[in-house]
């Protein structure tokens, strides 16, 4: 009977979490994706030592791919939020009237 890779399910869950939370300012998803990728690389090294011994390598590969996609999406999300904060300013984020004014300025109205 084959063994299961110890972190394959966790990597899959972290990959899904990183995709679901990519719109939450990018930080939570980025952390989850990086942890998942580190665990995936550790399990891949274990699998490559004895490939015939493990049977859930598919979950590990899928989770690793989701983590990589999650890293890309979360980095794009962080870049977007940094752009928005630099374009609008932190003071406008706390003041709705100033936010509306800055948005109108950006639209050229």
């Amino acid at each position: 009977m084959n063994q299961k890779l110890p972190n394959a399910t966790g990597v899959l869950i972290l990959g899904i979490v990183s995709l679901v939370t990519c719109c939450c300012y990018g930080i939570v998803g980025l952390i989850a994706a990086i942890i998942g990728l580190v665990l995936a690389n550790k399990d891949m090294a274990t699998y490559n030592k004895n490939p015939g011994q493990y049977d859930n390598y598919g979950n590990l590969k899928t989770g690793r791919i989701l983590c990589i996609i999650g890293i890309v999406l979360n980095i794009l999300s962080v870049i977007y939020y940094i752009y928005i904060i630099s374009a609008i300013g932190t003071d406008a984020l706390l003041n709705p009237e100033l936010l509306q004014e800055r948005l109108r300025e950006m639209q050229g109205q």
Side-chain angles (χ1 to χ4, degrees), residues 11-20 29 32-34 36-37 59-74:
V11 170
L12 186 61
I13 291 170
L14 287 169
I16 292 168
V17 166
S18 73
L19 291 178
V20 170
I34 290 171
L37 197 58
N59 283 350
L60 182 66
K61 282 186 359 181
T62 303
R64 183 174 182 267
I65 291 169
L66 290 175
C67 286
I68 292 169
I69 293 169
I71 286 174
V72 171
L73 289 177
N74 283 293

Side-chain angles (χ1 to χ4, degrees), residues 1-2 7 14 22 25-26 34 36 41 45-46 66 78 90-91 96-97 99 104:
M1 182 172 162
N2 290 342
N7 298 317
L14 287 169
C22 73
Y25 303 109
I34 290 171
N41 289 338
T46 303
L66 290 175
V78 167
T90 55
D91 54 338
E97 290 95 19
L99 178 63
R104 277 190 233 106

Side-chain angles (χ1 to χ4, degrees), residues 3 9 16 25 28 42-43 58 71 73 97-98:
Q3 295 178 332
T9 304
I16 292 168
Y25 303 109
V28 174
K42 181 179 171 185
D43 268 10
I71 286 174
L73 289 177
E97 290 95 19
L98 185 57

